[in-house]
Amino acid sequence: MFRAFTLPIGMRYVKSEKRAYMVVAIISLIFGLSHLANLSSGNPAMIIVQTFTTFFESIFFCALYLRSGSIIPTMILHGVYDWTCFVLDPTLENGIPVAEIDAGIIFSILFALSMGIVGLYLIRPSMQERILKLWNEKWNVHDGGDGET
């Protein structure tokens, strides 16, 4: 639900030719930083890793939403991702990292970083016009893309 509300609002009201980058960066930063709330319950070093990885994962999920215009693919992929983390990741306890940093964490960091890179590729400069057109049509904006009708 985090992206379902904030991303459309950002796309509607941020006034910039690079609004997709700005909105994705702001939402991803807030989403990543929100995981710092786990500091009171888990291993502090692992919480920092979780904050870092969720930032880059959020870039991917925001970009997927921007490119598809639908929250559904994002929700499905995020759900599958979370399920794998909660069920298969032995370093988590109720979603909170409690184990020590080990070699397996390097894989998680690299995977999250690669998700962020794919996300940035999805919203690359050559896609900006296509993204704005999709979002203007989706939200019934007929103004050339500045967000005001």
Side-chain angles (χ1 to χ4, degrees):
M1 296 309 296
F2 189 84
R3 275 172 285 282
F5 295 109
T6 56
L7 198 132
I9 291 168
M11 289 300 290
R12 176 83 174 145
Y13 294 106
V14 171
K15 309 290 188 216
S16 170
E17 289 180 18
K18 298 180 189 248
R19 84 175 81 177
Y21 287 118
M22 293 173 61
V23 170
V24 167
I26 292 166
I27 290 171
S28 297
L29 183 63
I30 293 169
F31 188 69
L33 291 174
S34 72
H35 287 75
L36 288 175
N38 294 333
L39 278 171
S40 63
S41 305
N43 175 330
M46 289 290 287
I47 302 300
I48 300 301
V49 169
Q50 183 185 43
T51 300
F52 175 83
T53 57
T54 55
F55 169 75
F56 285 102
E57 292 158 3
S58 182
I59 290 172
F60 172 77
F61 290 127
C62 284
L64 180 61
Y65 186 16
L66 280 174
R67 285 293 299 275
S68 69
S70 172
I71 194 71
I72 302 301
T74 301
M75 289 173 66
I76 291 168
L77 285 176
H78 195 281
V80 168
Y81 179 81
D82 280 354
W83 180 82
T84 20
C85 288
F86 283 95
V87 172
L88 303 175
D89 189 342
T91 66
L92 296 178
E93 213 173 85
N94 296 318
I96 299 173
V98 293
E100 296 299 318
I101 292 181
D102 63 9
I105 299 304
I106 302 302
F107 173 78
S108 294
I109 293 169
L110 293 174
F111 184 73
L113 190 56
S114 66
M115 286 177 74
I117 290 168
V118 169
L120 291 174
Y121 178 76
L122 288 173
I123 59 171
R124 64 192 179 276
S126 63
M127 291 289 114
Q128 293 297 304
E129 187 176 323
R130 185 176 179 186
I131 290 168
L132 289 178
K133 182 178 182 215
L134 173 68
W135 280 83
N136 287 340
E137 289 171 3
K138 180 174 179 60
W139 298 103
N140 200 23
V141 177
H142 302 287
D143 60 352
D146 71 355
E148 294 184 19
T149 55

